[in-house]
């Protein structure tokens, strides 16, 4: 029998512990012969990233504690491991050195020197060098100096291949070892704004000769490259405004293999990410805004693959070209998992399922919509309505709703299972995820809607979404919240200090003060230190925008209570900003809470942190909107 109970109070089997256990999905999936490899964070081991291998029969962890297969290049990291024959090479988070281990269980040994400063040398985007006796990768030091290097597997001296730009990635030797390709860019660009695809001959001393730029530019961004032959590359780039797959010769001549308004690439937040994999005979597995598809260059078409899983990532086909690919995949009711797909038979195998099982009856099914923005563009959203087979709200009561802008801001929402959302919807709280102007997955023109207008377009789009919920009778205008983390936290803070639409805001590891994030600021890191120039405006001519849009300068305009969640070791959005915001809040009479977490960086990885954060958020909404919850009561200050 369905029980009538106020929204927010519904009894749910989705626990904060379940959210924590499922918080870190698999990543960096690679195929090596018959084996599939991947990494996965372990929240109940302090967020340690473990390396797994499936040998065709079963999956097992390759490196036990304390090995942590992760790196810090650009603070977001990149591909942290490489399988070479009977050895695996990987970066260890604690000291950031490169290690090699045999597959026979022997202890790993370091092959890069111990830096003078802990984590002072960082390595990412590991690929095999010519001959297979060394690894090519990006090296970054604590002074933000980057170069392409070759690391011998025998532990010999690291050789510098070359340095062409302030930022570099994707060192790739050609099949014959005669050339190398890589991508570089300069401040103030981000890699999705503009970069250069370079090629150079490999000289007799093993370094790179003079470079030639064969793709990219100020308004063109390469996001993945692979050698197809000694004289040609396969490249995802966007000269026509959409990341399409091109074949590019050493002379720079390019052919678009399937031209169209489809986004087959994405932003290079992490180095070494893959959106396509060659399958042979002119066919390629591609990701079309998260959907798995097949590109056929003979017909110039991109066709979706029919599977029950709607969100794919990390695709790799190895070198066998037998129609088998590996990836991570998920669906609205299916956790992200490493999978193997045989395209010839359609056989899909989940290589290691998550241990968290929730009855699908309690899981919301996202409904994709496009809402009209006052600025003239459509706003893609995913609507998650309250879902619980055991409960219904009182007649006439509208549920509380939470507007959820994604992080980035160069990212987009995905319709896969998110137990963090289900934690709310199964208790009677609606959630709507927003692809505001500036999101990826919709072409360069949509991405550039945010240029100079961060804190304006994103806020306006979230406000528009909230108002549509109210106008359609789904939401009570007095019970709409906004939540977000990182750049989403910025949008939430800007919305609750700049408009009166949202009754409260739950903000995690946010940017709150643009000034210290500007060039030379003490509260930014090198990779994003000039990102703000594109999002807000160049300095000094637009300095007034920085002050006007910073939420920290408008605490007196808060529309309602605020919950702040912050990692104390965050190098991207440091705790000093949240500290100052809360100090300005104290004594104002505005209810607020500030929870900080030792040992957490940008984004929460530890189970105890994730559990505490979700329980606090639920209690926060209950106190603001007037319903009892099953979470420990959060103390609000004034």
């Amino acid at each position: 029998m369905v029980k009538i109970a106020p929204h927010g109070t519904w009894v749910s089997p989705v626990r904060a512990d379940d959210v924590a256990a499922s918080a870190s999905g698999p990543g960096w999936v690679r195929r090596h012969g018959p084996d599939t490899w991947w990494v996965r964070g372990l929240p109940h081991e302090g967020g340690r990233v473990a390396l797994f291998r499936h040998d065709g029969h079963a999956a097992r962890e390759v490196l036990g504690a304390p090995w942590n297969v992760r790196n810090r290049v650009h603070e977001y990291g990149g591909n942290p491991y490489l399988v070479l024959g009977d050895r695996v090479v990987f970066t260890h988070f604690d000291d950031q050195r490169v290690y090699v281990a045999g597959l026979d269980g022997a202890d790993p040994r370091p092959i890069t020197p111990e830096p003078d400063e802990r984590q002072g040398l960082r390595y990412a985007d590991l690929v095999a060098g010519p001959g297979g006796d060394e690894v090519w990768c990006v090296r970054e030091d604590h002074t933000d100096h980057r170069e392409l290097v070759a690391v011998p597997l025998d532990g010999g001296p690291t050789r510098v291949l070359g340095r062409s730009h302030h930022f570099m990635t994707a060192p790739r030797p050609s099949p014959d070892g005669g050339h190398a390709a890589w991508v570089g860019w300069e401040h103030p660009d981000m890699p999705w704004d503009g970069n250069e695809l370079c090629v150079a001959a490999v000289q007799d001393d093993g370094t790179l000769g003079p470079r030639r730029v064969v793709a990219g530019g100020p308004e063109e961004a390469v996001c993945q490259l692979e050698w197809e032959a000694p004289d040609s590359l396969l490249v995802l780039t966007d000269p026509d405004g959409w990341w399409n797959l091109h074949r590019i010769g050493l002379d720079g001549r390019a052919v678009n293999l399937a031209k169209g308004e489809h986004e087959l690439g994405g932003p290079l937040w992490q180095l070494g990410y893959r959106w396509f994999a060659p399958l042979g005979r002119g066919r390629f597995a591609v990701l079309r805004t998260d959907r798995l598809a097949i590109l056929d260059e003979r017909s110039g078409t991109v066709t979706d693959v029919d599977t029950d899983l709607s969100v794919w990532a990390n695709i790799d086909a190895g070198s066998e070209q037998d129609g088998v690919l590996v990836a991570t995949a998920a669906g609205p009711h299916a956790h992200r998992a490493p999978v193997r797909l045989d395209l010839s038979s359609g056989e899909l195998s989940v290589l290691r399922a998550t241990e968290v099982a929730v009855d699908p009856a309690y899981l919301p099914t996202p409904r994709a919509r496009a809402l009209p923005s006052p600025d003239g563009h459509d706003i893609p959203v995913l609507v998650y309505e309250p879902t619980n087979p055991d409960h219904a709200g009182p007649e006439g009561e509208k549920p509380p709703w939470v507007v959820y802008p994604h992080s980035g801001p160069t990212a987009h929402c995905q319709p896969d299972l998110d137990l963090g959302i289900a934690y709310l919807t199964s208790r009677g709280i609606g959630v709507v995820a927003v692809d505001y102007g500036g999101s990826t997955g919709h072409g360069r023109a949509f991405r550039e809607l945010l240029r100079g207008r961060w804190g304006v377009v994103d806020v306006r789009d979230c406000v528009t979404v909230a108002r549509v919920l109210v106008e359609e009778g789904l939401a009570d205008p007095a019970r709409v919240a906004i939540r977000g983390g990182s750049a989403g936290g910025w949008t939430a803070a800007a919305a609750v200090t700049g408009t009166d639409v949202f009754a409260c805001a739950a903000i995690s590891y946010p940017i709150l003060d643009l000034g210290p994030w500007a060039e030379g600021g003490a509260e930014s890191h090198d990779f994003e230190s000039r990102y703000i120039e594109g999002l807000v405006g160049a300095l000094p001519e637009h300095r007034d925008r920085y002050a006007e849009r910073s939420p920290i300068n408008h605490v007196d305009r808060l529309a309602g209570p605020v919950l702040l969640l912050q990692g104390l070791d965050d190098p991207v959005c440091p705790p000093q900003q949240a500290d100052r915001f809360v100090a300005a809040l104290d004594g104002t009479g505005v209810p607020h809470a500030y929870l900080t977490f030792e040992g957490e960086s940008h984004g929460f990885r530890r189970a105890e942190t994730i559990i505490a954060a979700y329980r606090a958020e639920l209690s926060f909404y209950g106190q603001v909107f007037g319903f009892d919850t099953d979470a420990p009561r959060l103390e609000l200050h004034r």
Side-chain angles (χ1 to χ4, degrees):
M1 182 177 296
V2 174
K3 180 179 179 180
I4 304 301
H7 291 92
T9 69
W10 298 353
V11 178
S12 168
V14 183
R15 305 169 303 153
D17 303 61
D18 299 323
V19 180
S22 66
S24 181
W28 303 112
V29 181
R30 295 290 185 264
R31 184 180 179 201
H32 185 71
D35 297 346
T36 304
W37 296 70
W38 68 90
V39 300
R40 181 167 195 154
L42 305 177
H44 290 281
E45 291 190 29
R48 180 177 74 89
V49 178
L51 179 63
F52 291 87
R53 174 190 184 189
H54 192 288
D55 61 5
H57 302 285
R60 66 177 180 87
E61 186 178 340
V62 176
L63 299 166
W67 300 108
N68 192 351
V69 186
R70 180 181 161 213
N71 52 65
R72 287 187 60 181
V73 173
H74 296 177
E75 297 299 350
Y76 294 100
N79 180 21
Y81 77 93
L82 172 69
V83 181
L84 279 175
D86 59 355
R87 294 174 288 188
V88 60
V89 185
F90 67 96
T91 57
H92 178 45
F93 184 76
D94 287 5
D95 59 12
Q96 292 294 298
R97 298 170 75 183
V98 180
Y99 287 75
V100 63
L103 303 186
D104 55 3
D107 288 338
R109 58 179 176 83
I111 56 174
T112 55
E114 184 172 359
D116 295 333
E117 177 184 333
R118 181 177 177 270
Q119 298 189 338
L121 293 175
R122 306 168 181 183
Y123 304 81
D125 201 1
L126 280 60
V127 299
D133 57 357
E134 61 184 17
V135 172
W136 286 15
C137 57
V138 178
R139 181 172 69 185
E140 174 185 87
D141 69 18
H142 70 285
T143 65
D144 297 316
H145 173 94
R146 296 169 192 87
E147 53 201 359
L148 305 180
V149 298
V151 179
L153 295 180
D154 62 8
T158 298
R159 183 176 76 258
V160 176
L161 296 168
R163 185 174 190 265
S164 60
H165 298 73
H166 188 73
F167 298 100
M168 289 179 290
T169 189
R172 302 288 187 268
S174 62
D176 62 359
H179 288 83
W182 71 95
V183 173
W185 68 96
E186 303 286 351
H187 277 315
D189 285 332
M190 299 301 286
W192 46 86
D193 294 326
N195 58 31
E196 294 182 333
L197 171 58
C198 305
V199 295
V202 178
Q203 302 183 115
D204 292 342
D205 63 357
T207 62
L208 304 181
R211 64 185 171 97
R212 287 171 288 153
V213 176
V214 297
E219 299 292 328
E220 179 185 345
V222 173
C223 59
Q224 183 184 346
L225 65 102
E226 308 291 343
W227 285 94
E228 182 181 39
D231 60 352
S232 67
L233 292 144
L234 296 166
V235 181
L236 280 174
T237 186
D238 66 343
D240 301 313
W242 296 83
W243 275 308
N244 283 191
L245 184 59
H246 297 72
R247 179 177 289 112
I248 299 178
L250 296 182
D251 58 0
R253 294 182 183 180
V255 176
N256 191 329
L257 302 186
K259 186 174 182 178
E261 294 186 353
H262 37 237
E263 200 82 297
L264 307 183
L268 264 180
W269 281 104
Q270 293 184 300
L271 306 185
Y273 201 86
R274 294 181 178 179
W275 290 268
F276 80 87
L279 298 173
R281 300 187 298 277
R283 299 169 72 245
F284 305 86
V286 296
L287 300 179
R288 175 159 55 180
T289 312
D290 306 321
R291 300 187 306 276
L292 178 64
I294 301 299
L295 184 154
D296 189 328
E297 67 169 293
R298 293 165 296 187
S299 59
T301 57
V302 178
T303 306
D304 288 345
V305 177
D306 185 17
T307 78
D308 293 332
L309 301 175
S310 54
V311 177
W312 290 68
N314 296 291
I315 57 175
D316 185 37
S319 57
E320 286 74 17
Q321 296 192 351
D322 54 4
V324 174
L325 61 87
V326 297
T328 62
H333 295 169
H335 291 282
R336 287 181 183 265
V339 300
R340 181 182 187 274
L341 176 63
D342 187 331
L343 291 166
S344 62
S345 66
E347 181 182 359
L348 177 67
S349 303
V350 176
L351 302 181
R352 187 181 178 94
T354 179
E355 292 79 12
V356 181
V358 176
D359 186 337
Y362 295 90
L363 302 176
T365 299
R367 182 162 50 95
R369 298 185 59 185
L371 307 180
S373 164
D375 290 344
H377 60 270
D378 285 341
I379 310 168
V381 300
L382 295 173
V383 180
Y384 298 83
E385 297 191 12
T387 305
N388 188 314
D390 305 325
H391 292 274
E395 184 176 355
E397 182 190 83
K398 297 173 183 177
W401 279 83
V402 179
V403 174
Y404 187 7
H406 58 71
S407 62
T410 312
H412 61 272
C413 303
Q414 297 175 312
D416 58 342
L417 176 57
D418 184 335
L419 284 188
I421 290 176
Y423 182 74
L424 299 176
T425 58
S426 61
R427 287 168 169 77
I429 303 169
V431 178
V432 57
V434 183
D435 270 9
Y436 48 81
S439 303
T440 50
H442 313 286
R444 178 177 281 267
F446 191 86
R447 195 163 76 241
E448 293 182 349
L449 289 173
L450 212 55
R451 278 196 172 180
R453 303 175 73 197
W454 195 36
V456 178
V457 170
D458 50 327
V459 170
R460 188 176 300 159
D461 283 356
C462 287
V463 166
T464 297
V465 170
R467 286 176 172 160
V468 169
L469 292 176
V470 172
E471 290 167 2
E472 293 183 350
L474 296 175
D476 178 346
R479 298 211 299 173
V480 181
I482 187 167
R483 75 187 299 255
S486 190
W490 152 270
T491 299
V496 81
T497 55
T499 77
D500 60 1
V501 171
F502 300 102
C504 62
I507 304 168
S508 302
Y509 37 90
I511 300 169
L512 297 166
D513 188 357
L514 292 175
W517 250 70
E519 182 181 3
E523 295 178 4
S524 60
H525 64 121
D526 189 48
F527 177 57
E528 293 181 90
S529 63
R530 297 183 66 183
Y531 190 11
I532 303 296
E533 292 183 32
L535 294 172
V536 179
L539 292 172
E541 55 266 40
H542 296 300
R543 191 173 300 280
D544 57 330
R545 291 184 188 171
Y546 286 68
E548 175 57 32
R549 295 185 193 173
S550 293
I552 200 165
N553 296 327
H554 305 296
V555 172
D556 59 324
R557 301 198 318 221
L558 272 169
V562 173
L563 168 64
L564 269 168
L565 305 168
Q566 178 69 50
L568 292 179
D569 295 340
D570 191 341
V572 177
C573 296
Q576 296 95 305
Q577 297 217 350
D579 292 346
R580 294 198 300 272
F581 191 87
V582 172
L585 263 175
D586 288 340
T588 63
V590 177
H592 61 277
Y594 182 35
L595 302 184
T596 60
F597 303 98
E598 293 277 359
E600 290 287 7
S601 183
H602 195 62
F604 300 148
R605 293 175 174 269
R606 300 183 176 189
E608 58 269 28
T609 301
I610 298 166
I611 291 168
Y614 273 91
R615 287 175 173 172
E617 186 175 353
L618 179 60
S619 176
F620 175 68
Y621 294 143
Q623 293 182 61
V624 174
F625 294 138
F627 56 80
D628 294 327
T629 75
D630 59 357
R633 186 173 178 83
L634 174 71
E635 183 180 359
L636 297 180
H637 303 276
R638 294 178 183 272

